[in-house]
Amino acid sequence: MQTFPPFYTQQPNSDTWQKQQELWTDLILQYCRDKNKFTISLEDEIFRNDQIKRKVSKSMFDLLMKHMKDKKRVIEDGVYLVLWRSVQEWANMLYDWAQTVGKMQIVLTKYEILEETDLNGMHDKLFLQVVQHLQKQSKANVFYVDGNMG
């Protein structure tokens, strides 16, 4: 699909555009999952193909991000945070990890958690949403030091 020039241009037919958005969503999610990447921007290599001299326009990128946001696959918070797993899935993984390795009922820093889990490399804003999700379920407590998450 990425070698098909029209893929990089918003298609005028609404049915085709809808399918194109779904294809882009799948491609972006897979790209981010494969690269353990948590943010996306128009500057990422996925949005251009130099071999066929095509790239996604800013307006098309914005529409793709709106589509992904509507599908709850992107959170916009100053940056686009890509949810190749949902916040709930990440929270479950973190909780399961803590149970499995005996890290329940002890204080862990954000850095310890990120280094020891599959969350390594996760953007701070997404990590905060994950632990806040656990906090809402009374499965974690979040401590702040000088206004920063510890």
Side-chain angles (χ1 to χ4, degrees):
M1 207 50 169
Q2 288 179 277
T3 58
F4 187 58
F7 189 57
Y8 293 87
T9 306
Q10 180 184 351
Q11 297 304 300
N13 178 286
S14 62
D15 291 337
T16 305
W17 172 235
Q18 190 62 34
K19 180 63 178 170
Q20 185 180 15
Q21 289 178 98
E22 293 303 321
L23 290 170
W24 268 109
T25 296
D26 292 345
L27 184 64
I28 292 165
L29 294 174
Q30 188 63 49
Y31 170 80
C32 290
R33 183 180 301 113
D34 289 349
K35 295 195 175 279
N36 197 40
K37 187 171 174 51
F38 295 92
T39 61
I40 197 83
S41 76
L42 183 56
E43 304 308 313
D44 282 292
E45 64 187 345
I46 191 173
F47 296 111
R48 69 178 182 283
N49 184 327
D50 295 333
Q51 288 180 331
I52 61 170
K53 297 181 172 94
R54 295 287 185 173
K55 66 181 180 178
V56 169
S57 69
K58 170 81 168 98
S59 61
M60 183 173 158
F61 175 80
D62 291 343
L63 290 170
L64 291 171
M65 293 300 104
K66 181 186 179 319
H67 173 78
M68 290 182 71
K69 188 176 174 182
D70 292 346
K71 298 287 184 183
K72 305 210 182 313
R73 302 310 289 184
V74 161
I75 298 170
E76 185 179 6
D77 191 5
V79 295
Y80 290 106
L81 304 172
V82 179
L83 300 174
W84 40 277
R85 287 193 174 115
S86 69
V87 170
Q88 173 72 46
E89 289 172 314
W90 284 117
N92 290 343
M93 285 178 62
L94 178 54
Y95 188 77
D96 291 345
W97 167 82
Q99 284 186 308
T100 301
V101 299
K103 301 277 184 170
M104 301 296 287
Q105 304 297 322
I106 64 171
V107 176
L108 296 168
T109 67
K110 171 181 73 172
Y111 303 103
E112 289 172 313
I113 294 169
L114 291 175
E115 286 299 313
E116 296 180 28
T117 66
D118 289 338
L119 282 66
N120 193 8
M122 182 176 279
H123 193 278
D124 285 347
K125 290 179 181 181
L126 181 53
F127 181 77
L128 180 60
Q129 289 200 9
V130 169
V131 294
Q132 285 175 336
H133 184 82
L134 288 172
Q135 190 172 25
K136 287 177 189 171
Q137 297 176 322
S138 300
K139 293 181 176 179
N141 288 312
V142 180
F143 298 98
Y144 296 88
V145 178
D146 297 327
N148 295 313
M149 182 175 36

